[in-house]
């Protein structure tokens, strides 16, 4: 696959804090890539470096074969960027705002207006084209932002937290719009978010970004394998809470020791009357045998795989 | 034929309801697109309209005051030379004259046109969007500066011509070439003076996130130079004041120092330039010794010589203006632009 964005060893340091720490990432042409991470993980900084709006401390970025540090204007000709919480000139109408962007991209006023009208229709703002941008709702502003990005016929569009502050139906329509663009016109889309499910819905690949490092990268299904290489299974056993024998405490301890001896088990935790066992393979039958054999009353035993939820709780909410 | 073509474009555009001027097909360079937008913003904002109103009113007031007086001067004292220049400098005492008004309101105009140039773009979240377009970063700053200067120039030149026109009306006689040139050069330097304050406030708007802070800083600098700095200079020089019986070299030296100390004030520089330009009899703005004056025949200087008299002041004023621009430029170019934050 042809790579349109190539990042090698990219580092950005603020004083002695690494905002982005030796990042390597390749994004293919026409791909929808989600950059997933909590606030302050370095997503925005990475995006700014791709556009040449911030200089990297070290490392290399190539976007459409160009170096944003030395050819920022060429890069900006090909890359559309929708900043987080985008703003427009409030006293100009939506159409005028887009026309201005078009003119900055070298179109004449007539060409820019024609193009803007087409794009406004496409993002569903045709009725509101003459309304002042200051009167637009958040969702409308975001859609106007997409139209603004498309004014330059970009090869790549980069969206920074595009779904922030839009209501659920708006988000759905918005994501639909983005995927349509990518599929129909072969535009590469890179967007950052801290909303798991939105990323899951539309992205071909996802990169998980935590404190300046890329923890994992790939399709949603391959992520859990990468992140939880030796503990991709999670077995949860619940004991009957009503049965309390005098030797319960010792029984529990003994059982825990036995469980830990099963090959493949990484960790055993006990909370009240609940066992949590993480392991690299399915060890449910052995677990059941040990618990029952230890004289405990097993109520239920469930086996689940790690999903994005676990990824989220584990890495993001620290 | 050319006119016809434009007319056609114009009509077509009207018909399509898209735009209503003849330049819709022209590909302007992005820089001039930005300048155009900034100028349009100035003319559409209430702030500029109020400022224009204030300045227009004061001009009319000053003009009235000077015309009443000028009529008297003209009829009684018979020295009718440089009547048009007197329109700018004289008044009957009820209101300050035109040039005093301009040197007072100029800074206010400059500060208010520039104090939110960059920070308001950042606060509205438009800065990062504009900088993601394929234009060099400095275009934004340059466009803001050029647009501000053009607006000020337009305003000052129309006011000057208004004054000349009123004089023409009263006198029934056109200004001489010398007078006209002096007025044009004076207006030009008024624009430079306002450009200094504009640059200063653009610098503050790059430096400070809050428009209120940047406006206040601009006003603080203005107040410092108009009120406090002269007081400080006075305080310092008072200690060194030579006695009445001191030798003339000492007095000369003292006056020289006193003169040099006020030369860093942009308003002082401007008022010296103005006085040399509008009063052709001014031969020096600093202290002169008796030897230097002896043998001089009192009379008017030609424009070139008047400019030579205040050449250091002109250079100083331009240097201060460029310095402010340079600082704004340096801070802005090295800034990392994040959306709203």
């Amino acid at each position: 696959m042809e790579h349109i964005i190539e990042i090698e060893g990219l580092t950005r340091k603020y004083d002695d804090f690494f905002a982005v720490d030796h990042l390597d990432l390749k994004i293919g042409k026409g791909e929808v890539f989600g950059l997933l991470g909590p606030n302050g993980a370095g997503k925005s900084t990475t995006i700014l470096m791709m556009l040449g709006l911030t200089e990297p401390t070290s490392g290399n970025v190539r976007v459409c074969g160009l170096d944003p540090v030395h050819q920022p204007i060429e890069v900006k000709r090909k890359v559309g960027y929708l900043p987080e919480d985008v703003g427009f000139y409030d006293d100009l109408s939506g159409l005028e705002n887009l026309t201005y962007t078009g003119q900055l991209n070298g179109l004449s006023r007539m060409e820019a207006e024609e193009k803007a009208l087409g794009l406004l229709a496409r993002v569903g703002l045709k009725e509101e084209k003459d309304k002042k941008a200051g009167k637009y709702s958040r969702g409308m502003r975001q859609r106007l932002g997409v139209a603004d990005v498309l004014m330059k016929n970009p090869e790549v569009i980069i969206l920074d937290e595009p779904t922030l502050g839009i209501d659920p139906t708006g988000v759905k329509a918005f994501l639909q719009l983005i995927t349509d663009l990518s599929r129909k016109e072969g535009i590469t889309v890179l967007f950052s978010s801290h909303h798991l499910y939105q990323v899951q819905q539309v992205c071909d690949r996802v990169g998980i970004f935590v404190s300046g490092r890329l923890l994992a990268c790939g399709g949603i299904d391959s992520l859990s394998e990468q992140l939880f290489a030796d503990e991709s299974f999670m077995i949860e056993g619940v004991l009957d809470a009503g049965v309390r024998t005098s030797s319960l405490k010792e029984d529990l301890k003994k059982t825990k020791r036995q469980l830990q001896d099963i090959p493949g088990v990484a960790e055993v935790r006990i909370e009240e009357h609940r066992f949590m066992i993480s392991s690299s393979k399915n060890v449910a039958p052995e677990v059941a045998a040990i618990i029952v054999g230890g004289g405990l009353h097993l109520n239920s035993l469930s086996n689940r795989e790690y999903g994005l939820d676990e990824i989220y709780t584990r890495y993001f909410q620290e | 034929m050319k006119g016809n073509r434009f007319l056609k474009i114009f009509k077509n555009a009207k018909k399509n309801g898209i735009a209503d001027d003849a330049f819709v097909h022209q590909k302007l360079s992005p820089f001039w697109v930005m300048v155009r937008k900034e100028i349009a913003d100035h003319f559409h904002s209430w702030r500029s309209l109020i400022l224009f109103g204030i300045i227009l009113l004061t001009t009319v007031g000053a003009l009235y005051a000077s015309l009443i007086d000028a009529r008297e001067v003209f009829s009684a004292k018979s020295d009718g030379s440089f009547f048009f220049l007197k329109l700018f400098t004289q008044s009957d005492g009820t209101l300050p004259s035109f040039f005093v008004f301009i040197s007072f309101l100029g800074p206010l105009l400059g500060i208010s046109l520039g104090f939110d140039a960059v920070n308001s773009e950042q606060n509205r979240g438009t800065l990062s969007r504009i900088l993601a377009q394929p234009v060099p970063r400095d275009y934004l700053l340059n466009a803001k500066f050029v647009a501000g200067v053009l607006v000020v120039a337009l305003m000052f030149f129309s006011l000057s011509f208004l004054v000349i026109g009123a004089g023409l009306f009263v006198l029934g006689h056109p200004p001489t070439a010398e007078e006209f040139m002096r007025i044009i050069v004076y207006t030009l330097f008024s624009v430079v003076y306002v450009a200094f304050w504009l640059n200063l406030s653009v610098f503050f708007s790059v430096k400070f996130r809050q428009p209120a802070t940047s406006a206040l800083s601009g006003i603080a600098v203005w107040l410092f130079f108009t009120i406090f700095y002269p007081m400080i200079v006075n305080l310092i020089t008072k200690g060194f004041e030579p006695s009445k019986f001191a030798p003339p070299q000492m007095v000369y030296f003292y006056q020289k120092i006193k003169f040099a100390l006020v030369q860093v004030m942009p308003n002082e520089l401007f008022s010296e330039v103005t006085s040399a330009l509008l009063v052709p009899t001014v031969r020096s703005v600093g202290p002169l010794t008796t030897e230097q004056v002896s043998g001089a025949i009192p009379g008017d200087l030609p424009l070139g010589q008047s400019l030579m008299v205040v050449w250091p002041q002109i250079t100083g004023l331009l240097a201060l203006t460029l310095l402010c621009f340079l600082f704004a430029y340096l801070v802005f170019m090295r800034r990392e632009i994040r959306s709203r934050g």
Side-chain angles (χ1 to χ4, degrees), chain B residues 128-206:
Chain B
S128 56
R129 193 171 58 85
I130 296 303
L131 291 184
Q133 306 307 328
V135 290
R137 186 187 275 208
D138 57 341
Y139 271 22
L140 186 92
L141 207 60
N142 300 353
K144 296 219 174 253
F145 173 66
V146 169
V149 168
L150 284 179
V151 167
V152 171
L154 180 76
M155 195 156 94
F156 277 11
F157 274 99
S158 29
L159 287 182
S160 286
F161 291 145
L162 191 75
V163 173
I164 294 178
L168 205 67
F169 196 67
V170 171
L171 190 67
H173 187 279
T176 61
E178 169 84 14
E179 279 178 306
F180 185 71
M181 283 312 292
R182 276 179 183 273
I183 290 169
I184 294 295
V185 174
Y186 159 72
T187 313
L188 213 61
F189 283 112
S190 313
V191 175
V192 172
Y193 180 54
V194 176
F196 163 76
W197 291 102
L198 178 70
N199 270 333
L200 187 74
S201 68
V202 168
F203 167 66
F204 284 134
S205 87
V206 174

Side-chain angles (χ1 to χ4, degrees), chain A residues 14 45 53-54 76 83-89 100-101 105-106 108-111 113 141 148 152, chain B residues 18 21 24-27 34 36-37 121 124-126 128-129 131-134 137 336 338-340:
Chain A
Y14 292 103
T45 311
L53 290 175
T54 297
K76 287 175 197 168
E84 184 182 344
D85 192 10
V86 63
F88 289 93
Y89 294 109
Y100 183 53
T101 308
N105 281 285
S108 79
R109 187 135 132 233
M110 194 69 135
E111 292 165 340
E113 291 203 15
R141 202 138 46 90
D148 186 71
K152 62 172 92 163
Chain B
I18 287 175
D21 67 80
V24 283
H25 285 291
Q26 209 168 33
K27 278 195 177 135
M34 286 169 123
R36 200 182 150 134
K37 183 199 159 284
E121 294 253 358
R124 279 184 297 182
T126 48
S128 56
R129 193 171 58 85
L131 291 184
Q133 306 307 328
R137 186 187 275 208
E336 178 183 290
R338 284 179 174 268
S339 52
R340 295 195 203 227

Side-chain angles (χ1 to χ4, degrees), chain A residues 91, chain B residues 34-52 109-117 143-152 198 202:
Chain A
D91 40 352
Chain B
M34 286 169 123
V35 171
R36 200 182 150 134
K37 183 199 159 284
E38 293 300 328
I39 292 180
D41 277 357
H42 282 314
F43 282 113
H44 287 146
S45 75
W46 276 104
R47 174 190 3 174
S48 320
L49 291 184
I50 290 170
L51 273 171
F52 293 173
L109 183 69
I111 290 170
S112 59
L113 285 182
F115 77 91
D116 63 349
K144 296 219 174 253
F145 173 66
V146 169
V149 168
L150 284 179
V151 167
V152 171
L198 178 70
V202 168

Side-chain angles (χ1 to χ4, degrees), chain A residues 267-283:
Chain A
E267 198 196 354
V268 178
R269 276 180 296 154
I270 301 179
E271 291 164 3
E272 303 255 342
H273 42 270
R274 194 187 284 259
F275 283 94
M276 315 275 265
I277 300 144
S278 46
S279 65
S280 60
K281 58 183 184 184
N282 192 356
V283 290

Side-chain angles (χ1 to χ4, degrees), chain A residues 18-33:
Chain A
F18 283 98
V20 178
D21 193 359
H22 296 93
L23 174 69
D24 295 301
L25 182 65
K26 284 196 169 105
I27 297 175
K29 207 172 161 73
E31 207 174 4
V32 180
F33 190 89

Side-chain angles (χ1 to χ4, degrees), chain A residues 213-278:
Chain A
R213 288 166 177 278
L214 194 67
L215 286 184
C217 181
I220 302 274
D221 42 343
S222 73
L223 277 181
S224 56
E225 278 171 33
Q226 287 182 45
L227 283 173
F228 304 98
D230 25 276
E231 35 184 307
S232 57
F233 284 90
M234 173 87 151
I235 296 163
E236 192 182 277
V238 183
L239 301 179
D240 194 338
V243 183
R244 292 192 174 276
T245 54
S246 52
S247 60
L248 181 67
K249 240 181 182 172
E250 275 166 39
D251 285 345
L252 278 176
K253 259 188 199 163
K254 205 176 86 192
T255 314
K256 185 178 175 185
R257 238 177 292 128
Q258 283 177 323
L259 285 174
Q260 266 163 344
D261 291 339
I262 303 174
V265 167
E267 198 196 354
V268 178
R269 276 180 296 154
I270 301 179
E271 291 164 3
E272 303 255 342
H273 42 270
R274 194 187 284 259
F275 283 94
M276 315 275 265
I277 300 144
S278 46

